[in-house]
Amino acid sequence: MNFEKTTEKESHYNHLEKMTIKEIITNINNEDQTVPKAVEKALPQIETLIKVIVEKLQSGGRLFYIGAGTSGRLGILDASECPPTFGVPHDLVIGIIAGGDAAIRKAVENAEDSTNQGWKDLEQYKISKKDVVVGIAASGTTPYVVHTLKRCNIENIVTGCITCNKNSPLSLTSQYPIEVIVGPEFLTGSSRMKAGTAQKLVLNMITTTVMIQLGHVKGNRMVDMQLSNNKLVDRGIKMIMEELNIPLATAESLLKQYKSVRLSIENGRKQQNR
């Protein structure tokens, strides 16, 4: 199969340093508007991977994201937001980045070039056949990610990926590839831009859909969210008020008693039906 790094191709724009601020941001915005259309073309691939993830998590498995640089950070971001948003354990969705946690804030030299460190990183979590590993790499060539998925395949662990190049080594290694072809970046080779945006959109789809399928959403509400600050407590109270059609004080009382929006609604409804 032919493989061309479209993410590394020359930008459609030149002499960026001669553009006005308005010209720069207008052109970036024009390019950004192409990303959702690219994601739309990948929806069948996204759906297929999500179905597999749901099955694995329903059977007691976990979802791992593994990547380097921007891709690794995006995976960690998505994983870290699942517990507060959906009330799930911190070890259900796990993000791993080449170079370890230090690489979240600061680039770690040569970390993405390792061909065996990714598997070592997964082994720390006692990775097993029950789990799913999704490699994230805009280029689809990052050794840390590609070789980790190769080892996962050998160990009969389900593999998926999110990449922005067609027929990349990562796509060909992954059992369930997602390819979002966004084309050249406004700033040549800066895949934190359109490619990063595309990856974030796909990650949003994956975990939101998975959590809905696992029952962590009621109607359109985050009924299992962690009540970790005043804003979320207020949101929880409003959910209870609207769901049960009760006054503020009653909703506050229920939430204070049950410490959970879901449990407050369930028990409040039982009280109404007595």
Side-chain angles (χ1 to χ4, degrees):
M1 287 188 179
N2 292 328
F3 171 54
E4 181 182 34
K5 274 193 186 182
T6 56
T7 53
E8 300 289 333
K9 289 186 74 174
E10 188 81 12
S11 171
H12 297 310
Y13 306 82
N14 205 349
H15 306 300
L16 308 189
E17 74 279 9
K18 295 180 181 178
M19 291 181 183
T20 65
I21 291 174
K22 183 177 181 181
E23 287 171 334
I24 293 170
I25 62 176
T26 298
N27 290 329
I28 290 174
N29 182 245
N30 287 338
E31 286 299 306
D32 286 345
Q33 289 180 50
T34 69
V35 177
K37 288 296 182 184
V39 173
E40 182 181 14
K41 292 176 182 176
L43 287 178
Q45 292 180 323
I46 297 168
E47 180 185 8
T48 300
L49 177 57
I50 288 174
K51 285 180 179 177
V52 176
I53 295 171
V54 170
E55 289 173 5
K56 285 292 183 180
L57 268 57
Q58 284 175 333
S59 301
R62 299 163 295 174
L63 169 60
F64 287 86
Y65 293 132
I66 190 159
T70 298
S71 298
R73 294 182 190 102
L74 287 168
I76 288 171
L77 172 63
D78 194 65
S80 68
E81 290 177 341
C82 287
T85 306
F86 301 107
V88 297
H90 286 273
D91 61 354
L92 184 67
V93 183
I94 298 166
I96 297 174
I97 186 171
D101 284 356
I104 297 172
R105 291 183 177 273
K106 199 172 180 180
V108 176
E109 273 190 56
N110 302 321
E112 70 173 53
D113 297 325
S114 173
T115 57
N116 57 18
Q117 187 59 47
W119 177 251
K120 291 179 182 178
D121 292 342
L122 284 175
E123 281 189 309
Q124 292 182 20
Y125 292 90
K126 295 183 169 58
I127 188 81
S128 78
K129 296 176 187 176
K130 296 198 304 186
D131 303 319
V132 182
V133 178
V134 177
I136 312 172
S139 67
T141 60
T142 308
Y144 175 84
V145 181
V146 175
H147 285 272
T148 301
L149 261 60
K150 285 182 178 178
R151 180 62 185 270
C152 288
N153 289 336
I154 292 170
E155 302 292 338
N156 293 317
I157 296 166
V158 171
T159 56
C161 76
I162 306 169
T163 182
C164 295
N165 284 320
K166 192 80 174 170
N167 299 325
S168 69
L170 183 60
S171 298
L172 298 178
T173 299
S174 171
Q175 297 164 28
Y176 298 96
I178 294 171
E179 298 171 316
V180 185
I181 313 306
V182 295
E185 297 286 1
F186 172 76
L187 179 61
T188 299
S190 183
S191 55
R192 69 187 180 87
M193 300 185 77
K194 287 194 300 182
T197 300
Q199 290 172 334
K200 180 68 170 85
L201 291 175
V202 173
L203 290 165
N204 286 348
M205 287 181 175
I206 290 173
T207 45
T208 302
T209 307
V210 166
M211 295 304 164
I212 291 170
Q213 292 286 299
L214 294 178
H216 293 293
V217 171
K218 181 176 176 56
N220 57 16
R221 306 297 175 87
M222 300 179 287
V223 292
D224 289 337
M225 67 179 182
Q226 292 178 355
L227 303 171
S228 55
N229 58 48
N230 290 335
K231 179 190 77 173
L232 296 179
V233 170
D234 289 343
R235 184 185 295 169
I237 290 168
K238 288 176 183 175
M239 283 189 209
I240 298 165
M241 289 172 64
E242 291 172 7
E243 189 71 24
L244 299 176
N245 193 25
I246 57 177
L248 174 65
T250 309
E252 287 177 334
S253 177
L254 282 168
L255 192 58
K256 186 176 181 181
Q257 181 178 358
Y258 295 106
K259 316 293 187 194
S260 154
V261 175
R262 180 186 292 276
L263 292 177
S264 297
I265 291 171
E266 289 176 354
N267 286 282
R269 185 156 286 131
K270 287 177 184 175
Q271 293 172 20
Q272 289 178 333
N273 293 334
R274 283 175 187 165

